[in-house]
Amino acid sequence: MNLIVYTVICALVIAFILGVLLGLFKKIFHVDTDPKVEKVREALSGANCGGCGLAGCDAFAGAVVKGDAPVNGCVAGGAECASKISQILGTAGVEVKPLVSFLACHGTKECALEKGIYHGLETCKGAQLVMNGTKKCAYGCIGLGDCVKVCPFDAISMGKEGLPEINNQKCVGCGKCASVCPKKLFKIIEKDTKGPIARCSNYSQNKPQIKKDCSFGCFKCGMCARKCPSQAIDVSSGIPVIDYQKCTNCGECVNACPDKVLVLLGQ
């Protein structure tokens, strides 16, 4: 019985000593935190999406107070969040334009031929490592939904045609889908962008092979650039690139494209 009592007393004494030591260590190693950091953290969306380029909301809050990150860096929070942060830091308001993700591929099941039946890890990354994707087009969407799994806003779903579909009402352009896609098919653009954009990422110059692999692939005919009255299209890379400062959103290039690769944004 005495042994039990002694054991309990010793445990309590040890616990007391450890508590005192922890309290001392906390005071000795205490680091003052700028109260602005907590205020900024509360103003953020809390999505921890990584769209700011940092590990999460806590990291961004600390960085923006130090001046190492822009006040409009929280893409999920948008203009309202940037305004709150500007008020906390006492800086002038910063214009924030909403972003959205765009899939630069239209290689559906009907028009993009598959290499065969894939048996393996059901991820785009896995299929890319094993056989450079599931489609004959080396640039085409693999379609196993890695982008769907990482989207923190439930803004992407797999469509019936085998391609990811983006809900522009939910998407904030955080870039998670772009970072996980092994084919680099997602482009982050301003939500209010008006003008054409290419739904193809096949940069190959092998024209006959392009059509064999995907009937929707850009054939590199250059018709879009020739028909553009504003000379706003550059096709030197193999895919039409639009200068939206010059583009008037007339739609001539879309009508001229024989492959229907271009689509007008902001319609």
Side-chain angles (χ1 to χ4, degrees):
M1 184 68 180
N2 290 336
L3 179 62
I4 296 175
V5 173
Y6 291 148
T7 301
V8 171
I9 293 173
C10 289
L12 291 174
V13 171
I14 292 172
F16 175 76
I17 294 173
L18 289 175
V20 171
L21 290 175
L22 288 172
L24 290 173
F25 289 152
K26 183 177 180 180
K27 290 184 178 180
I28 294 171
F29 297 104
H30 175 71
V31 178
D32 291 329
T33 303
D34 191 330
K36 291 181 180 179
V37 174
E38 183 61 29
K39 290 181 180 180
V40 170
R41 179 64 180 84
E42 292 176 356
L44 300 177
S45 67
N48 278 315
C49 61
C52 59
L54 297 170
C57 293
D58 289 337
F60 174 75
V64 75
V65 171
K66 290 180 181 178
D68 296 333
V71 296
N72 61 344
C74 179
V75 294
E80 183 180 355
C81 177
S83 177
K84 290 180 180 179
I85 295 175
S86 294
Q87 292 177 10
I88 294 170
L89 301 181
T91 58
V94 179
E95 182 183 6
V96 179
K97 293 186 177 181
L99 303 176
V100 71
S101 184
F102 178 83
L103 179 68
C105 177
H106 196 62
T108 64
K109 294 178 179 179
E110 293 184 358
C111 62
L113 298 179
E114 294 188 351
K115 294 179 179 179
I117 300 175
Y118 170 68
H119 293 287
L121 189 63
E122 288 295 312
T123 65
C124 298
K125 184 177 181 180
Q128 174 69 12
L129 290 172
V130 172
M131 52 191 296
N132 193 31
T134 57
K135 295 176 180 175
K136 289 187 176 182
C137 174
Y139 303 86
C141 174
I142 297 173
L144 294 179
D146 289 12
C147 51
V148 177
K149 298 168 188 173
V150 301
C151 180
F153 303 98
D154 193 29
I156 307 178
S157 59
M158 290 303 298
K160 296 180 180 179
E161 295 182 332
L163 294 176
E165 294 181 350
I166 301 169
N167 185 328
N168 288 349
Q169 299 302 315
K170 294 182 178 181
C171 180
V172 300
C174 70
K176 282 273 191 176
C177 54
S179 63
V180 77
C181 178
K183 297 294 186 180
K184 305 302 178 187
L185 296 178
F186 289 93
K187 297 180 180 180
I188 307 302
I189 59 177
E190 292 181 1
K191 201 169 187 177
D192 60 355
T193 299
K194 292 185 178 180
I197 192 169
R199 294 182 291 177
C200 180
S201 295
N202 191 333
Y203 293 92
S204 171
Q205 295 296 330
N206 188 345
K207 297 180 181 181
Q209 192 62 46
I210 291 173
K211 282 304 174 186
K212 287 182 180 179
D213 295 340
C214 178
S215 59
F216 195 88
C218 178
F219 194 62
K220 326 301 179 193
C221 66
M223 188 65 70
C224 54
R226 291 195 293 272
K227 290 291 185 178
C228 178
S230 304
Q231 297 183 332
I233 303 179
D234 178 17
V235 293
S236 60
S237 67
I239 291 294
V241 177
I242 317 302
D243 184 343
Y244 293 107
Q245 298 299 319
K246 296 180 180 180
C247 179
T248 61
N249 199 28
C250 67
E252 289 293 327
C253 56
V254 175
N255 295 330
C257 179
D259 302 310
K260 304 305 176 185
V261 170
L262 294 171
V263 62
L264 281 179
L265 297 171
Q267 297 298 300

